[in-house]
C-alpha cells in the first residue's frame, strides 16, 4: 500500500479528497507563476550557454568540487558539469545530453533555441493565451520548420574517393572549438577515421572501432591517426625488442603464473627439499606455458593479467616478448584489429587463434620515460586510434571532445547524406517559412507560430553577437536577402570576410542534426509549458 501524502477524507456528498500533511512546510507555485519561474530558470541557463555558440564563441571554465578544472566549448559538457539545482535546469541539461547522444553535435544550439522559445512563450502568456494553446502552436510550427528544412536540404556526396566535402563539414564543426588553429588537419583525421571503419552499404559506423587516446606533451599538430591500436603499455621487460615485424599475437586472459590450489586447502612447505620441488614444479609449469605459446607460433604475448619478475625473466630467456596488464576494452580492440581470438586457457591456444599485425613498435615521447605500444598494419584494418597530443591535460581533453563531435557529424552524414547551410542560414530560412505560414492561419495558433519564428532567429542573433557584429542589423539584412533572392544559403558572416553566402564558405551542417535540434527543443518547451503546479519542501 502506498503511503498517501496526507489523510484521506470524504465530504458530505461522499466525494473523496485528500488533506495534505505538512502543508505549512511546503512551498507551492501554481498556475502562471510556476510557468514563469520555469521560464526564468531556462532563460538563465540558455544565456550562460549562448556566448559559447559559433566560431567566435567563448569557452567556459568549470571547476569541480575537488578542484578538477575543465575548459570546454562543448554545450553538452558545460551543461553536464554545471551544478544545476533547479528542476527545469536539470531538464535543460538532459536536453543537451540527448542531442549529444543522438547526433553528437549542435548541443549548444539546441539549448539556446529552447531558451528562446520559452522567452517567447512568456510574452504570449502575458497576453493571456493558454499555455496548452502555445504548446500546440509550437508543435505545429516545429513540424512546419522541419518540413521546410527538407525542401532547402541539398544532397551531399559521400564517397571514399572524394573526401573533400566531408572534410569541410568536419571543419564547420571544429570551427568553434579550441582546435581551430589546426582544424583542417583535425577534420582530415576525423574523416579518415570514420571512413576507415564505415560500412557505406549499410550506412553505418561502428564507433567501438575508433579509439581516442590522449597523451600530454608535444603540439596539437602532432595529433595523428594510427591505423591500428595504441596501448598505453610497454613491453614487460626493458631488454625485449622495441620493434617487431610480421607479428603473430597470442591474446591471453589467463595469468602467467603457476596453478594455485583451487580448494581451500593450504600447502605447507616443511623442508628445503619440498621447497625445491615446488620451485622446480613451478618452473616446469612456466616453461610449459611459454612453450605452449611458442608452439602455437606466437611471437608476442598480450596478457590481461600481470606476471612476476621470474616469469618475465623466463619470457626474455625464451625470446618471447610480452605485454602485461592490458585492459579489457583494449584487449577486445586488439582482437578485432588483428583478427585474433581471446584465449582464456593455455591449453586452448592454437595457430588459428592468433592475431596478425605487420608492425608492433614502441613510441617514446620527448625526454620522458613514457612509452606506448602501437600495433599497426593489422589483418582487419578497420580498427583505428586517434592519438591526441597537446600542451596540457585540459587541451588534450578538449581536443578529444572536439574530435568526438567531428566524428559524430561525419557519421550522421553517412547515415543521411543531406545537408543544410550553417551560420544561422537554415534557421533564418525556417523562420521566414514559419512566419509565412502564420499569415495563413486564422486560429490563435498564429501567435505561437510568429513567436516560434522569432525564437528561431535567436541562433543567428547569438552568432552575430558573439562575432562582434551588430546583431539586429545583421539579421535584418540577412532576412531581406534571403527573401528577395529566394536563397537559403545566406548566414551570419562570423569570420568578417564581407561575404555572407555560406555556400562559398563551405559552412555546412547535417540536415539530421538541425531537424533534431528543432524537434528536441520544441518537445522540452511543450513539457515545461504544461507544468502548472510545483511543490517543494520549504527548506529548498
Amino acid at each position: 500500500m502506498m503511503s498517501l501524502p496526507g489523510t484521506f477524507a470524504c465530504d458530505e456528498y461522499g466525494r473523496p479528497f485528500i488533506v495534505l500533511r505538512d502543508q505549512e512546510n511546503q512551498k507551492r507555485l501554481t498556475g502562471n507563476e510556476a510557468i514563469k519561474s520555469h521560464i526564468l530558470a531556462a532563460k538563465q541557463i540558455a544565456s550562460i550557454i549562448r556566448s559559447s555558440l559559433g566560431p567566435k564563441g567563448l569557452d567556459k571554465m568549470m571547476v569541480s568540487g575537488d578542484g578538477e578544472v575543465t575548459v570546454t566549448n562543448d554545450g553538452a559538457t558545460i551543461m553536464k558539469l554545471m551544478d544545476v539545482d533547479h528542476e527545469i535546469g536539470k531538464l535543460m541539461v538532459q536536453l543537451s545530453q540527448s542531442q549529444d547522444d543522438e547526433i553528437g553535435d549542435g548541443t549548444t544550439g539546441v539549448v539556446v533555441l529552447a531558451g528562446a522559445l520559452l522567452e517567447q512563450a512568456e510574452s504570449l502568456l502575458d497576453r493571456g493565451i493558454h499555455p496548452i494553446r502555445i504548446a500546440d502552436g509550437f508543435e505545429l510550427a516545429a513540424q512546419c520548420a522541419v518540413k521546410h528544412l527538407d525542401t532547402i536540404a541539398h544532397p551531399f556526396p559521400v564517397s571514399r574517393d572524394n573526401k573533400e566535402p566531408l572534410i569541410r563539414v568536419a571543419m564547420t564543426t571544429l570551427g568553434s572549438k579550441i582546435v581551430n588553429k589546426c582544424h583542417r588537419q583535425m577534420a582530415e583525421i576525423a574523416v579518415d577515421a570514420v571512413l576507415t571503419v564505415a560500412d557505406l552499404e549499410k550506412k553505418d559506423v561502428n564507433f567501438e572501432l575508433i579509439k581516442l587516446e590522449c597523451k600530454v606533451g608535444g603540439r596539437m599538430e602532432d595529433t595523428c591517426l594510427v591505423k591500428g591500436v595504441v596501448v598505453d603499455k610497454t613491453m614487460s621487460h626493458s631488454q625485449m625488442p622495441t620493434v617487431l615485424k610480421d607479428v603473430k599475437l597470442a591474446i591471453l586472459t589467463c595469468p602467467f603464473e603457476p596453478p594455485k590450489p583451487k580448494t581451500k586447502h593450504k600447502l605447507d612447505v616443511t623442508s628445503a627439499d619440498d621447497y625445491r620441488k615446488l620451485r622446480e614444479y613451478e618452473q616446469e609449469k612456466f616453461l610449459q606455458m611459454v612453450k605452449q605459446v611458442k608452439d602455437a607460433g606466437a611471437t608476442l604475448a598480450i596478457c590481461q593479467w600481470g606476471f612476476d619478475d621470474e616469469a618475465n625473466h623466463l619470457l626474455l630467456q625464451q625470446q618471447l616478448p610480452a605485454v602485461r596488464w592490458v585492459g579489457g576494452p583494449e584487449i577486445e580492440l586488439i582482437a578485432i584489429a588483428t583478427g585474433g581470438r581471446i584465449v582464456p586457457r593455455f591449453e586452448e591456444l592454437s595457430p588459428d587463434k592468433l592475431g596478425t599485425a605487420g608492425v608492433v613498435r614502441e613510441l617514446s615521447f620527448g625526454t620522458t620515460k613514457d612509452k606506448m605500444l602501437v600495433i599497426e598494419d593489422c589483418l582487419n584494418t578497420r580498427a583505428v586510434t586517434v592519438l591526441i597530443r597537446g600542451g596540457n591535460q585540459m587541451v588534450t581533453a578538449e581536443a578529444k571532445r572536439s574530435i568526438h563531435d567531428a566524428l559524430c557529424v561525419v557519421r550522421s552524414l553517412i547515415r543521411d547524406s543531406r545537408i543544410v547551410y550553417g551560420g544561422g542560414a537554415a534557421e533564418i530560412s525556417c523562420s521566414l517559412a514559419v512566419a509565412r505560414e502564420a499569415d495563413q492561419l486564422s486560429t490563435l495558433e498564429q501567435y505561437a507560430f510568429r513567436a516560434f519564428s522569432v525564437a528561431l532567429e535567436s541562433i543567428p542573433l547569438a552568432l552575430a553577437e558573439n562575432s562582434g557584429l551588430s546583431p539586429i542589423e545583421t539579421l535584418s539584412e540577412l532576412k531581406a536577402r534571403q527573401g528577395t533572392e529566394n536563397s537559403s544559403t545566406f548566414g551570419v558572416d562570423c569570420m568578417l570576410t564581407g561575404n555572407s553566402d555560406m555556400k562559398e564558405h563551405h559552412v555546412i551542417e547535417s540536415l539530421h542534426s538541425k531537424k533534431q535540434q528543432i524537434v528536441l527543443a520544441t518537445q522540452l518547451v511543450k513539457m515545461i509549458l504544461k507544468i502548472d503546479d510545483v511543490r517543494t519542501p520549504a527548506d529548498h
Side-chain angles (χ1 to χ4, degrees), residues 162-404:
N162 179 14
K163 294 179 186 167
E164 192 55 36
L166 283 171
I167 291 172
R168 284 177 176 156
V169 181
M171 281 168 70
T172 306
T173 302
L174 294 169
S176 62
K177 309 283 190 237
I178 196 171
V179 297
N180 61 3
K181 68 176 164 61
C182 50
H183 75 300
R184 164 95 207 177
Q185 176 199 354
M186 295 289 189
E188 283 173 8
I189 287 175
V191 171
D192 283 346
V194 174
L195 285 179
T196 309
V197 302
D199 186 335
L200 290 182
E201 276 96 61
K202 285 187 187 161
K203 294 195 170 186
D204 194 31
V205 179
N206 182 1
F207 265 8
E208 303 270 312
L209 297 174
I210 302 177
K211 188 161 170 260
L212 300 176
E213 187 75 61
C214 295
K215 196 75 178 165
V216 173
R219 301 173 309 158
M220 213 183 279
E221 285 84 351
D222 297 338
T223 300
C224 59
L225 180 70
V226 179
K227 295 278 174 77
V229 186
V230 177
V231 189
D232 201 354
K233 294 279 176 276
T234 53
M235 294 291 182
S236 60
H237 198 294
S238 53
Q239 289 169 359
M240 287 177 181
T242 52
V243 178
L244 298 167
K245 295 264 166 62
D246 297 329
V247 191
K248 295 272 185 211
L249 294 94
I251 304 169
L252 307 167
T253 52
C254 40
F256 256 111
E257 53 184 34
K260 292 190 174 68
K262 290 283 185 288
T263 55
K264 287 189 181 150
H265 303 306
K266 284 219 303 270
L267 192 63
D268 284 339
V269 178
T270 48
S271 67
D273 274 359
D274 284 357
Y275 181 69
R276 213 167 290 119
K277 274 183 199 153
L278 183 64
R279 209 169 151 209
E280 278 167 14
Y281 168 73
E282 284 187 1
Q283 190 123 0
E284 185 190 322
K285 275 291 183 196
F286 264 139
L287 286 169
Q288 189 187 332
M289 286 174 187
V290 176
K291 188 170 177 301
Q292 278 171 327
V293 176
K294 292 203 74 159
D295 284 354
T299 52
L300 171 66
I302 289 187
C303 192
Q304 189 174 6
W305 306 107
F307 28 82
D308 53 23
D309 293 344
E310 193 178 343
N312 211 352
H313 185 68
L314 267 171
L315 287 167
L316 181 68
Q317 262 182 350
Q318 300 287 327
Q319 291 175 342
L320 176 64
V323 186
R324 56 183 164 183
W325 295 123
V326 181
E330 281 99 341
I331 283 253
E332 283 176 21
L333 206 59
I334 292 170
I336 293 169
T338 58
R341 300 282 294 278
I342 297 173
V343 181
R345 279 199 296 276
F346 286 102
E347 294 79 33
E348 291 180 17
L349 258 174
S350 60
D352 58 322
K353 288 187 180 170
L354 298 180
T356 49
V359 184
V360 175
R361 60 191 171 91
E362 273 188 7
L363 280 180
S364 54
F365 299 104
T367 55
T368 58
K369 289 204 178 78
D370 274 2
K371 288 192 169 62
M372 288 173 112
L373 266 189
V374 182
I375 302 171
E376 287 178 305
D377 300 340
C378 305
L379 182 71
N380 173 3
T381 51
R382 288 183 54 199
V384 293
T385 305
V386 180
L387 185 61
I388 301 164
R389 307 298 309 278
N392 60 25
Q393 200 213 327
M394 280 186 287
V395 172
T396 52
E398 176 62 356
K400 183 175 180 177
R401 281 190 287 272
S402 310
I403 289 179
H404 178 260

Side-chain angles (χ1 to χ4, degrees), residues 9-130:
C10 290
D11 62 9
E12 67 265 34
Y13 299 109
R15 288 180 302 218
F17 64 92
I18 293 175
V19 181
L20 286 173
R21 76 166 82 96
D22 297 338
Q23 187 78 33
E24 72 283 0
N25 296 338
Q26 287 191 345
K27 269 204 328 224
R28 182 173 179 190
L29 280 174
T30 52
N32 276 3
E33 253 180 48
I35 296 178
K36 288 270 177 70
S37 129
H38 302 332
I39 289 174
L40 187 68
K43 267 172 32 183
Q44 277 178 330
I45 285 188
S47 69
I48 293 171
I49 289 276
R50 192 184 167 116
S51 60
S52 68
L53 187 71
K56 297 270 174 81
L58 301 172
D59 289 9
K60 308 278 179 231
M61 182 188 254
M62 326 290 280
V63 185
S64 70
D66 50 6
E68 196 180 318
V69 178
T70 310
V71 175
T72 180
N73 179 292
D74 179 43
T77 312
I78 297 173
M79 300 288 280
K80 209 172 5 185
L81 297 175
M82 269 197 319
D83 207 1
V84 184
D85 196 29
H86 196 284
E87 24 319 302
I88 297 301
K90 287 180 181 153
L91 290 177
M92 297 288 268
V93 174
Q94 287 167 5
L95 168 74
S96 72
Q97 204 52 51
S98 60
Q99 174 78 12
D100 201 26
D101 296 343
E102 186 69 25
I103 309 288
D105 186 38
T107 46
T108 314
V110 72
V111 176
V112 173
L113 182 58
L117 279 170
L118 284 167
E119 202 170 326
Q120 292 302 317
E122 188 172 22
S123 62
L124 292 180
L125 284 170
D126 290 344
R127 289 182 177 183
I129 300 177
H130 192 281

